[in-house]
Each structure stands twice: as structure tokens, then as C-alpha cells.
């Protein structure tokens, strides 16, 4: 039976799992049927230009064929200039979402051209360069009917509060607003946005100058479900005020807000018991010293629906706090504990025993966890997709006897194997080859492996080959500062001259 004998609908469903870069470069070369299917509209609704095209020689021709299919486009400023500057026939009439993934530097006329070529945009995201005319941009965006707006304004010195408010008043369907930078934005303008635009259910504010006044002078309940505030001037008083008015909040991100303490976080958990996603802490650990186990105890007690938890640089959090979270919040799927240096294996044991829905975990810079904890976690969480252990220098040799005893004493392991696809062991400088092999043997679905800055003395071809044998889907990985490619470590020609 030939694969082309199956119904085209089924074959199309199979192709929907193929990366778009392969659809563009390989699939359409197989046969006439596959070439026809490779340009089916359902395969090109969401396009990330930066990931698809390696050879740019035929990108314009390809984009011309799919331009009417694309509803969501992520693209760099350079490529968007190529498209709209030289290919004047390109029209993205069905495009709903445009994400320009870097600083946008275009003239007023060119920005007008982008809007004209994408007349039905509902979502737009971009960051302006210092030479970008933001005032003109805000005026031009009034012609769109937006539901999501994400603007970065880091380099401008002009106060554009009135222009921004005027644009928002023209967007009655706007539900998500993200303002990155906007250091000239007044607290009174932020208060006005919160008070006047009642359709907003997501507000993202990355502005280090926003003070408590922005939330104290506004009043009334808010329908927000998602709130992100990154500000050095926000403290417990402002946080308490805003969360008292957002009882239905599901996502709260206050990372980098160094004025927040345990007192404020306890109040948050009492005000917003429906929280499913909480992020706090600071990349500078000295700015997170006022956050401790007390916060985690409050989260465990009041926010049992929690699915995502991120604590960055919180050196005063230890095993007791995380064990409380693991026992109370059993539906956790994402967990980031980067820089929580007091955590030990006991935390990993508690997570593995209680949180079986985990998909992604980051224990980077947790120096006290060991091989036993990692082994237990992988064995206990078969749905784990990504595990990041960068700079975990406590992971060294494989204590298999101890690890097996812990498993037998603590938990009944699922019979299904681990589905881990990404294992990041970057700068785990004390890890041994034996430990690496034991871990990857547990993960037959692994797609990505990083041993960067590990095993500096590893010139063992047998070890390098065994890694590929255990990880059938890994094509290359980095050991110390060397990229290892599968084609050079085939067991059959391992000792043949290369």
C-alpha cells in the first residue's frame, strides 16, 4: 500500500504536524499530490517567518501563494520591509494578527502602507525604535478595530498620554492591552485606562516608574482576569489596592517589582483565591529578600486552583514552602524556581509525589538538588515535557541505589515511560557521564539535550555514540563547548576515518 492511497483528508492531517519549514522546502518536492497539499490553506493560517525560511531565494514567491491564507504572522522588521517595500502586490487581506519581533524602524509612509496591506488586523505587537514616529502610529491605528494591542515605547521622550487614550477610545472591542516601556506615562493616565476601558480583561504594564498612585486614584471593581505589573515603585499598598478590585483575577505577574513583601503577597492570595498563575521575585536576589515561605504557605492555603508558579531569585524560600505548594496545588503544570538556592531534593520528592500533571519545570541555579531528586522527578512525572537544570552544580554522580529506595518508599511509579522532550543540563559542572546516560535512558522521546559547559574532559566516542542511541530523535547536542552531530557518531562507522 502506498501512502498516497489513504484519503487526502487523513494525509493532510498528518502533514499538519510537519514543521512549516519542511512544507516549504521538502514536502512539495515529493510528488504532485504532496505539492498540492503543501499549499492547502489550513497549513498556513499561522506563520512564523523567522522559523520557516532558511533559503530566502524563493520566499517572495511562496509568500505570494499563501498570502490569502495567513491569519497570524510573526516577522522581523527587515523582512516586513522587504515584503511591503518591494513586493507591492502582496496583500494580507485575511491577516488578523501581526507580531513584529524586534524594533521597528520605518517611515510614516511605510507604516501607512503596512496598515493598508493588512486592513483587517485585530491584533498587533511591535516595539518602536527611537526614530519611529509613535504619534503618527497611534493616529493611524485608529482605523483598525483592535482586540489586542501590544506596543513597546522604550526610546521616546515625548509624553503621548492623550494620543494613547484617544486611540483606546476608538477601540471598543479591545480586551488585551500591553504597554512596554512608556516611561513618560503618567499615573493618572494609567488610572484612566483602568477606570474607563471596562472591556479589558488583560493588562500588561512594563514600566519601572509606575507608582502606587496609579492604583490608588482609580476606583471601582475591575473585570481583569490577567494583570502584569513590572515596576520598581510598586509596593504592598498599591498591590493590595489593585487586587481588592480584581477578585476574579486568574493571572498575576509582579516580577521585578522589588517593593513587594510577604505581607502584600498574603493579601493577594486572600483577595484573589481564583488565581491559576502567579509570578513574583527578581533576577537580582537581593531585591527578593522580603519574600519567603510565608508567601508560599498563603498560596497553598488560598489558591488551590494554581497551575503555574514562578518564583525567581527568592533565596528565603526552602523545602517547607514548596512541599506545602506540592501538597495543596496538585494541578500544577508549570513551575519555575530559578535561583531559589535553599531548595533541596525534598522539594523534588514532594513535587514528584503530588504533581503528576507537570509539563515544564525550571530549577536553574538551585545548587543543592542532586541526582536522586532529578531521577525521582523524571520517574514520577510521565507527562513532563521540559526540564531545565542549568547551573545545578549539586548534580553529580548517579546514586541509583538511593534513588530506587526513595521511589519504593515514597510513591507508586506510573508504568508509562517519561515523555520528556527537552533536558537542559547547561553548566552542571559536576555531572558524570554515568549520570547523564541514566537520565537519558529514561527519556526515549527526548528531542533536545544540552550539556553545554559540562564534561569538559569528555573525548569518549563511545559515550557520545551511546547518547545518540538512547535519544533517537536528537540530531545534535552540545557537550562543553563542542557541538556533537549524529552523522559523525554512527556506531557502524564510529572507528572509520572521518
Amino acid at each position: 500500500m502506498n501512502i498516497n492511497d489513504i484519503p487526502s483528508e487523513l494525509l493532510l492531517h498528518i502533514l499538519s504536524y510537519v514543521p512549516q519549514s519542511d512544507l516549504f522546502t521538502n514536502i512539495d518536492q515529493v510528488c504532485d499530490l504532496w505539492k498540492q497539499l503543501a499549499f492547502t490553506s489550513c497549513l498556513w493560517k499561522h506563520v512564523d517567518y523567522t522559523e520557516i525560511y532558511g533559503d530566502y531565494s524563493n520566499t517572495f514567491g511562496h509568500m505570494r501563494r499563501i498570502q490569502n491564507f495567513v491569519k497570524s504572522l510573526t516577522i522581523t522588521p527587515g523582512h516586513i520591509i522587504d515584503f511591503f517595500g518591494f513586493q507591492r502586490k502582496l496583500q494580507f487581506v485575511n491577516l488578523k494578527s501581526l507580531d513584529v519581533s524586534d524594533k521597528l524602524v520605518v517611515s510614516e509612509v511605510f507604516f501607512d502602507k503596512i496598515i493598508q496591506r493588512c486592513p483587517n488586523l485585530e491584533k498587533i505587537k511591535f516595539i518602536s525604535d527611537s526614530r519611529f514616529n509613535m504619534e503618527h502610529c497611534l493616529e493611524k491605528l485608529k482605523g483598525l478595530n483592535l482586540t489586542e494591542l501590544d506596543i513597546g515605547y522604550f526610546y521616546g521622550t515625548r509624553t503621548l498620554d492623550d494620543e494613547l487614550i484617544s486611540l483606546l477610545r476608538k477601540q471598543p472591542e479591545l480586551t488585551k492591552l500591553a504597554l512596554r516601556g512608556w516611561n513618560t506615562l503618567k499615573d493618572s493616565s494609567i488610572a484612566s485606562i483602568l477606570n474607563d476601558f471596562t472591556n479589558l480583561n488583560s493588562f500588561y504594564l512594563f514600566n519601572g516608574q509606575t507608582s502606587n498612585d496609579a492604583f490608588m486614584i482609580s476606583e471601582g471593581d475591575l473585570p481583569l482576569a490577567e494583570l502584569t505589573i513590572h515596576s520598581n515603585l510598586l509596593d504592598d499598598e498599591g498591590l493590595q489596592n489593585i487586587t481588592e478590585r480584581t477578585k476574579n483575577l486568574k493571572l498575576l505577574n509582579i516580577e521585578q517589582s522589588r517593593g513587594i513583601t510577604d505581607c502584600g503577597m498574603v493579601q493577594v492570595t486572600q483577595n484573589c483565591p481564583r488565581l491559576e498563575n502567579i509570578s513574583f521575585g527578581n533576577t537580582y536576589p537581593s531585591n527578593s529578600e522580603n519574600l519567603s515561605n510565608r508567601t508560599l504557605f498563603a498560596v497553598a492555603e488560598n489558591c488551590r486552583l494554581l497551575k503555574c508558579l514562578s518564583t525567581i531569585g527568592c533565596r528565603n524560600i526552602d523545602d517547607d514552602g514548596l512541599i506545602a505548594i506540592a501538597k495543596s496545588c496538585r494541578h500544577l503544570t508549570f513551575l519555575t524556581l530559578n535561583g531559589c538556592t535553599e531548595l533541596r531534593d525534598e522539594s523534588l520528592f514532594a513535587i514528584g509525589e503530588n504533581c503528576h500533571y507537570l509539563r515544564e519545570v525550571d530549577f536553574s541555579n538551585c545548587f543543592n538538588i542532586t541526582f536522586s531528586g532529578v531521577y525521582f522527578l523524571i520517574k514520577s512525572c510521565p507527562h513532563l515535557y521540559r526540564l531545565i537544570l542549568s547551573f545545578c552544580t549539586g548534580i553529580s554522580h548517579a546514586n541509583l541505589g538511593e534513588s530506587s529506595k526513595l521511589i519504593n518508599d515514597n510513591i507508586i511509579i506510573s508504568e508509562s515511560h517519561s515523555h520528556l522532550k527537552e533536558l537542559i543540563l547547561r553548566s552542571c559542572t559536576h555531572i558524570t557521564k554515568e549520570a547523564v546516560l541514566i537520565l537519558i535512558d529514561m527519556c526515549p522521546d527526548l528531542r533536545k539535550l544540552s550539556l553545554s559547559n559540562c564534561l569538559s574532559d569528555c573525548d569518549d566516542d563511545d559515550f557520545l555514540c551511546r547518547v545518540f542511541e538512547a535519544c533517537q530523535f536528537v540530531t545534535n547536542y552540545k557537550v562543553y563547548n563542542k557541538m556533537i552531530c549524529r552523522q559523525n557518531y554512527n556506531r557502524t562507522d564510529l572507528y572509520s576515518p572521518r
Side-chain angles (χ1 to χ4, degrees):
M1 179 178 180
N2 189 292
I3 190 173
N4 287 348
D5 293 335
I6 67 175
S8 296
E9 294 80 2
L10 182 56
L11 186 56
L12 189 61
H13 180 72
I14 294 172
L15 292 179
S16 69
Y17 291 94
V18 175
Q20 288 180 329
S21 56
D22 287 327
L23 291 176
F24 171 62
T25 57
N26 298 319
I27 296 299
D28 67 340
Q29 305 296 319
V30 174
C31 63
D32 290 340
L33 175 61
W34 285 37
K35 183 174 184 178
Q36 177 184 351
L37 292 176
F39 286 96
T40 306
S41 60
C42 65
L43 300 178
W44 298 103
K45 290 182 178 180
H46 308 285
V47 173
D48 188 337
Y49 187 94
T50 60
E51 293 184 358
I52 296 177
Y53 304 113
D55 174 13
Y56 295 100
S57 59
N58 193 35
T59 55
F60 295 138
H62 182 257
M63 187 59 75
R64 186 180 293 113
R65 291 191 64 175
I66 66 172
Q67 60 183 317
N68 291 329
F69 307 152
V70 182
K71 294 187 176 181
S72 174
L73 176 63
T74 298
I75 193 169
T76 64
H79 295 136
I80 202 171
I81 289 173
D82 288 342
F83 278 166
F84 293 105
F86 303 111
Q87 300 297 311
R88 302 185 183 280
K89 294 182 180 180
L90 283 179
Q91 295 276 351
F92 294 93
V93 294
N94 293 311
L95 191 66
K96 303 293 184 182
S97 176
L98 176 63
D99 182 345
V100 183
S101 57
D102 205 342
K103 293 189 289 291
L104 187 60
V105 189
V106 296
S107 66
E108 298 173 17
V109 173
F110 197 90
F111 187 81
D112 294 351
K113 187 179 295 186
I114 295 174
I115 300 301
Q116 291 169 2
R117 301 283 181 83
C118 310
N120 295 306
L121 275 179
E122 297 176 358
K123 306 174 185 179
I124 187 167
K125 175 182 178 180
F126 65 92
I127 299 172
S128 68
D129 184 86
S130 57
R131 294 163 288 175
F132 189 81
N133 188 336
M134 181 58 74
E135 183 178 1
H136 177 83
C137 163
L138 296 176
E139 182 64 30
K140 196 65 183 179
L141 289 175
K142 291 180 180 179
L144 299 175
N145 185 20
L146 297 173
T147 60
E148 297 183 18
L149 176 62
D150 188 332
I151 304 181
Y153 182 52
F154 290 95
Y155 308 99
T157 57
R158 290 193 57 195
T159 300
L160 297 175
D161 295 39
D162 292 340
E163 290 80 357
L164 176 63
I165 298 295
S166 176
L167 165 63
L168 297 180
R169 294 192 189 282
K170 294 288 187 179
Q171 306 299 330
E173 304 299 324
L174 193 69
T175 59
K176 292 187 177 183
L177 175 63
L179 301 174
R180 306 170 191 269
W182 291 86
N183 293 323
T184 60
L185 196 63
K186 300 174 184 176
D187 287 339
S188 57
S189 298
I190 296 172
S192 176
I193 292 172
L194 291 172
N195 283 337
D196 297 344
F197 302 101
T198 55
N199 283 338
L200 283 181
N201 60 39
S202 177
F203 185 44
Y204 180 108
L205 184 63
F206 189 96
N207 178 336
Q209 306 305 312
T210 300
S211 73
N212 290 343
D213 291 343
F215 312 108
M216 306 296 284
I217 58 180
S218 58
E219 55 188 26
D221 291 341
L222 301 173
L224 292 176
E226 300 179 357
L227 177 63
T228 298
I229 306 171
H230 294 178
S231 173
N232 294 327
L233 303 181
L234 180 71
D235 63 22
D236 291 345
E237 184 180 15
L239 184 62
Q240 179 176 343
N241 181 277
I242 189 68
T243 55
E244 281 179 346
R245 300 161 53 205
T246 51
K247 300 291 186 180
N248 295 317
L249 206 62
K250 292 186 177 181
L251 180 152
L252 177 65
N253 185 331
I254 50 170
E255 290 176 358
Q256 314 305 327
S257 299
R258 60 188 181 190
I260 306 301
T261 72
D262 282 332
C263 293
M265 291 303 300
V266 170
Q267 194 64 50
V268 165
T269 65
Q270 294 171 353
N271 291 337
C272 307
R274 295 184 177 89
L275 277 171
E276 298 178 1
N277 188 323
I278 304 176
S279 301
F280 58 88
N282 200 292
T283 49
Y284 298 99
S286 59
N287 293 334
S288 300
E289 292 180 349
N290 294 321
L291 296 166
S292 68
N293 283 346
R294 185 183 171 198
T295 292
L296 294 192
F297 291 149
V299 172
E301 180 180 356
N302 299 312
C303 304
R304 295 176 180 267
L305 300 176
L306 194 68
K307 295 180 180 178
C308 305
L309 174 65
S310 175
T311 68
I312 298 177
C314 295
R315 297 183 296 189
N316 291 328
I317 285 176
D318 61 26
D319 293 331
D320 291 340
L322 198 56
I323 289 171
I325 289 289
K327 290 181 177 180
S328 295
C329 307
R330 293 174 178 258
H331 295 284
L332 277 176
T333 55
F334 297 90
L335 186 60
T336 297
L337 298 157
N338 191 333
C340 298
T341 55
E342 295 302 310
L343 296 179
R344 300 177 185 274
D345 285 345
E346 285 74 11
S347 293
L348 280 71
F349 300 152
I351 293 168
E353 186 173 358
N354 295 283
C355 305
H356 302 299
Y357 300 101
L358 272 177
R359 295 279 293 163
E360 297 187 18
V361 179
D362 185 352
F363 276 103
S364 296
N365 295 290
C366 295
F367 311 125
N368 292 313
I369 65 175
T370 73
F371 175 87
S372 296
V374 175
Y375 182 90
F376 186 91
L377 185 67
I378 294 176
K379 273 287 189 181
S380 307
C381 300
H383 301 293
L384 196 60
Y385 178 94
R386 179 180 292 115
L387 180 57
I388 304 175
L389 301 165
S390 299
F391 296 94
C392 292
T393 52
I395 303 174
S396 55
H397 60 287
N399 305 316
L400 258 189
E402 179 183 346
S403 303
S404 299
K405 181 179 184 301
L406 287 166
I407 289 174
N408 294 331
D409 290 346
N410 285 280
I411 192 170
I412 299 175
I413 299 298
S414 170
E415 293 183 0
S416 61
H417 66 75
S418 169
H419 292 282
L420 194 70
K421 289 184 171 58
E422 297 185 18
L423 178 59
I424 310 300
L425 296 165
R426 183 167 61 95
S427 295
C428 293
T429 51
H430 296 147
I431 198 167
T432 65
K433 291 182 287 186
E434 177 192 17
V436 170
L437 291 174
I438 291 172
L439 292 178
I440 63 176
D441 277 339
M442 299 160 57
C443 311
D445 291 343
L446 208 62
R447 262 69 170 175
K448 181 177 180 180
L449 173 66
S450 176
L451 297 168
S452 178
N453 294 325
C454 301
L455 306 173
S456 59
D457 61 343
C458 184
D459 293 319
D460 184 348
D461 280 355
D462 185 62
F463 165 77
L464 300 176
C465 187
R466 286 182 63 190
V467 171
F468 283 121
E469 290 177 346
C471 307
Q472 293 294 319
F473 299 104
V474 172
T475 57
N476 57 68
Y477 62 95
K478 196 170 186 179
V479 177
Y480 196 61
N481 60 358
K482 180 181 179 182
M483 184 61 70
I484 309 299
C485 299
R486 177 179 290 275
Q487 63 190 29
N488 296 328
Y489 288 89
N490 206 331
R491 179 73 74 173
T492 58
D493 60 1
L494 183 59
Y495 301 105
S496 301
R498 299 193 188 103

